[in-house]
Amino acid sequence: MAPIFSIIQDELGKMLVYWRTQNKKTNEVKEIKNIILSGSDALIAGFSRYISSEAKIPAKTGSVWTNILSVE
């Protein structure tokens, strides 16, 4: 699984660089505050923790029910 995690981390790194570059061009500061992972692979044990530690941004698994109804 490590090679797959590494590939995903590399792609995420490209996206983070892109958004940070866009912020500099427009002089707007829109900081990425968290990463939401989706899909069945997002449920792999330790995946969100790996992404969080590598990207230095909190990552969590998304829930499609968040905006539909109360989880309580």
Side-chain angles (χ1 to χ4, degrees):
M1 294 305 288
I4 294 170
F5 283 10
S6 179
I7 291 169
I8 293 171
Q9 181 59 39
D10 291 344
E11 292 300 316
L12 177 60
K14 291 176 189 177
M15 294 303 296
L16 292 173
V17 167
Y18 170 80
W19 284 110
R20 289 176 182 146
T21 303
Q22 293 303 309
N23 283 339
K24 289 180 183 176
K25 287 181 183 177
T26 62
N27 291 329
E28 290 183 47
V29 178
K30 293 184 180 179
E31 186 177 332
I32 298 172
K33 296 179 183 174
N34 58 41
I35 300 168
I36 300 174
L37 305 169
S38 64
S40 60
D41 293 336
L43 300 174
I44 296 172
F47 183 58
S48 62
R49 190 171 43 244
Y50 173 80
I51 294 296
S52 291
S53 67
E54 292 295 315
K56 308 290 190 267
I57 299 172
K60 63 181 180 180
T61 303
S63 172
V64 297
W65 298 105
T66 300
N67 294 321
I68 304 297
L69 52 95
S70 174
V71 293
E72 296 165 355

